[in-house]
């Protein structure tokens, strides 16, 4: 069992990283809920796989819990499904002392967190992330949101959970493509913050790909530590937290240009990191070996590294619409050396075009 303390101003909390045993969850749950009334939110896949364990455990310890099951997939992060969850919360008679548990991937975490942040102006919220992406990224840091038909994550809040409980055994049932997508975010932490971790990843990626428990739990622990640290410094993204968007300016544009149907989020981020690293090389910020290193590591994870058949002008249009921009400039987080990035906003459009066409 590994434990990380996240010291945010709005609500400090712990991340627990465990394997096999769900028992510690009940112990920690008792410490961070105000009443025994809970609503568990999960999607249909996770309901089938993990809700029976949760249900048994909560019943055994006298919790008065209900469950709300949503369809899997990004389309569920909508005001329509939010509304059905408000109804579920009302039907379950949740009050200000009740807690919502998000059991699932980033979709459920973001949606359930949005309900917890807004139902009765905020009730208890706990994250049990079950995808690699959710375990190392979306469950930490309190960004909760639903999508608008015209823009992703545009309706949301900063709302920290009171606990994040990771059981890495849940990753064994995760479809392979979802697992490798999460690896892109893992590699991102090496590039934005920690050159030693990047080197460690190069040496240990085979162990991670083989689900070696010790290797995987160390990697998750490192990623959670880095993300927590960045969130602690800048909870509401006024400055440094933006470095977590490395790979995302181009990545989100690729996801949007392909209708969120061709690439998983992690695959979009993998491609985004490659092209943003190439931009950094074109600006003379890094040498080409650093680009090669990234491509090689992503390829070992079976992640895409080259775009096919998307017009660069469409990608640039999507980038201009990105909510991370301030004013009309597209903001990029670019590598400036091993394990280091910085923010750039006046990239020459011709250079951008030629890199994206490469
Ligand atoms: N809040 C943040 O800071 C933040 C950060 C990054 C991403 N996100 C959001 O996260 C979402 C993506 O999350 P995701 O990649 O976890 O996708 P997801 O929640 O859609 O899960 C992916 C798929 O895996 C299934 N699944 C989940 N856990 C499983 C398990 N243990 N075994 C078998 N199947 C399982 C789900 O049913 C789903 O079909 C996006 O909406 C993105 O915007 C949020
Ligand atoms: Zn991401």
């Amino acid at each position: 069992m590994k434990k990380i303390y996240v010291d945010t101003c709005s609500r400090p909390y712990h991340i627990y990283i465990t394997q096999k045993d769900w028992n510690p969850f009940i112990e920690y749950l008792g410490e961070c809920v105000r009443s025994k009334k809970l609503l568990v939110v999960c999607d249909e896949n996770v309901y089938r796989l993990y809700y029976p364990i949760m249900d048994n455990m909560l019943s055994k310890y006298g919790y008065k819990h209900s469950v709300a099951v949503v369809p899997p997939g990004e389309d569920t992060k909508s005001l329509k499904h939010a509304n059905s969850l408000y109804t579920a919360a009302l039907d379950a008679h949740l009050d200000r002392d009740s807690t919502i548990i998000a059991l699932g991937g980033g979709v459920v975490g973001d949606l359930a967190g949005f309900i917890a942040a807004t139902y009765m102006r905020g009730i208890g919220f706990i994250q049990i992330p079950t995808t690699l992406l959710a375990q190392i990224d979306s469950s930490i840091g309190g960004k909760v949101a639903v999508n608008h038909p015209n823009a992703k994550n545009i309706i949301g809040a900063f709302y920290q959970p009171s606990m994040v409980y990771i059981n890495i055994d849940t990753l064994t049932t995760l479809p392979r493509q979802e697992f490798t997508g999460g690896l892109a975010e893992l590699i991102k932490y090496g590039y934005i913050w920690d050159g030693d971790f990047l080197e460690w990843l190069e040496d240990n990626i085979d162990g991670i790909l083989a689900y070696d428990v010790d290797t995987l739990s160390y990697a998750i622990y490192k990623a959670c530590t880095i993300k927590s640290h960045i969130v602690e410094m800048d909870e509401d993204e006024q400055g440094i937290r933006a470095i977590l968007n490395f790979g995302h300016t181009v990545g989100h544009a690729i996801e949007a240009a392909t209708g969120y149907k061709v690439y998983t989020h992690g695959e979009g981020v993998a491609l985004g990191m490659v092209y943003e690293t190439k931009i950094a090389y074109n600006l003379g910020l890094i040498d080409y070996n650093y680009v090669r290193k990234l491509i090689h590591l992503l390829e070992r994870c079976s992640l895409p590294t080259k775009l096919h058949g998307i017009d660069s002008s469409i990608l640039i249009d999507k980038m201009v619409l990105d909510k991370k921009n301030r004013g009309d400039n597209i903001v990029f987080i670019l590598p400036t050396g091993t394990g280091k990035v910085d923010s750039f906003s006046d990239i020459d459009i011709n250079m951008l075009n030629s890199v994206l066409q490469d």
Side-chain angles (χ1 to χ4, degrees):
M1 152 88 75
K2 295 183 173 67
K3 181 172 164 181
I4 299 164
Y5 183 61
V6 191
D7 193 11
T8 53
C9 297
S10 64
R11 181 189 285 158
Y13 54 100
H14 283 103
I15 303 168
Y16 299 98
I17 302 166
T18 64
Q19 189 235 338
K20 283 204 169 68
D21 201 358
W22 285 97
N23 287 334
F25 172 71
I26 281 291
E27 187 188 323
Y28 302 133
L29 182 64
E31 289 167 12
C32 65
V33 293
R34 282 209 294 259
S35 85
K36 290 211 151 187
K37 198 174 280 179
L38 312 173
L39 175 66
V40 180
V41 179
C42 52
D43 73 17
E44 286 152 10
N45 298 329
V46 172
Y47 175 78
R48 206 167 18 83
L49 289 163
Y50 298 105
Y51 184 68
I53 302 171
M54 194 59 45
D55 186 26
N56 273 335
M57 203 167 45
L58 294 173
S59 301
K60 191 169 153 199
Y61 287 88
Y63 283 91
K64 296 187 202 72
H65 60 286
S66 347
V67 62
V69 185
V70 292
E74 187 67 31
D75 290 351
T76 294
K77 250 176 68 175
S78 64
L79 283 174
K80 179 180 148 222
H81 283 96
N83 205 39
S84 72
L85 289 182
Y86 291 130
T87 306
L90 285 165
D91 289 348
H93 304 290
L94 295 197
D95 58 32
R96 297 219 58 207
D97 289 335
S98 308
T99 297
I100 289 184
I101 298 181
L103 174 67
V107 164
V108 159
D110 283 12
L111 172 68
F114 180 74
I115 304 305
T118 48
Y119 180 79
M120 291 188 165
R121 299 188 184 84
I123 63 171
F125 176 42
I126 285 170
Q127 291 263 24
I128 308 181
T130 61
T131 64
L132 181 58
L133 179 134
Q135 294 181 354
I136 62 170
D137 190 359
S138 61
S139 67
I140 310 158
K143 278 193 184 178
V144 297
V146 294
N147 302 327
H148 182 274
N150 300 347
K152 258 194 84 169
N153 294 329
I154 209 80
I155 310 159
F158 288 98
Y159 197 68
Q160 303 295 340
S162 45
M163 155 162 73
V164 178
Y165 191 88
I166 298 171
N167 183 331
I168 65 170
D169 270 1
T170 55
L171 299 179
T172 54
T173 54
L174 194 62
R176 190 68 177 171
Q177 198 186 9
E178 297 294 345
F179 181 74
T180 52
L183 296 178
E185 302 277 5
L186 194 61
I187 292 166
K188 181 188 80 179
Y189 289 114
Y191 269 78
I192 63 170
W193 196 256
D194 190 336
D196 292 341
F197 181 50
L198 181 56
E199 219 170 276
W200 182 90
L201 279 174
E202 286 183 298
D203 293 343
N204 289 280
I205 201 72
D206 293 336
I208 293 173
L209 288 164
Y211 293 95
D212 176 75
V213 168
D214 291 339
T215 316
L216 194 52
S217 71
Y218 176 76
I220 291 173
Y221 171 77
K222 270 305 279 186
C224 290
T225 307
I226 296 171
K227 172 129 190 202
S228 310
H229 188 55
I230 294 169
V231 167
E232 282 170 353
M233 286 189 287
D234 181 24
E235 194 177 337
D236 49 3
E237 199 165 321
Q238 296 300 313
I240 188 136
R241 186 169 177 166
I243 68 172
L244 291 162
N245 294 326
F246 170 51
H248 285 65
T249 302
V250 175
H252 279 155
I254 294 169
E255 285 185 87
T258 50
Y260 299 94
K261 299 276 181 262
V262 179
Y263 299 105
T264 63
H265 175 70
E267 288 170 340
V269 170
L271 285 162
M273 290 193 294
V274 169
Y275 286 93
E276 292 176 15
T277 307
K278 286 182 174 176
I279 296 169
Y281 167 71
N282 273 274
L283 290 172
L285 301 170
I286 49 164
D287 65 38
Y288 203 75
N289 278 338
Y290 201 49
V291 183
R292 270 197 212 102
K293 186 196 267 292
L294 176 64
I295 291 175
H296 184 54
L297 193 50
L298 294 171
E299 281 174 353
R300 287 172 73 193
C301 300
S302 311
L303 284 162
T305 56
K306 198 161 173 36
L307 269 175
H308 299 283
I310 308 179
D311 200 287
S312 59
S313 64
I314 294 174
L315 292 178
I316 293 171
D317 286 349
K318 297 287 181 197
M319 286 178 220
V320 171
L321 288 174
D322 198 304
K323 69 180 187 304
K324 291 187 297 299
N325 295 327
R326 305 237 158 143
D328 286 337
N329 264 332
I330 308 171
V331 177
F332 290 93
I333 304 299
L334 302 178
T336 53
T338 304
K340 284 194 294 191
V341 287
D342 215 334
S343 178
F344 294 82
S345 58
D346 2 285
I347 304 300
D348 178 66
I349 213 83
N350 294 323
M351 186 267 272
L352 186 56
N353 241 315
S354 74
V355 170
L356 291 171
Q357 276 163 2
D358 177 23

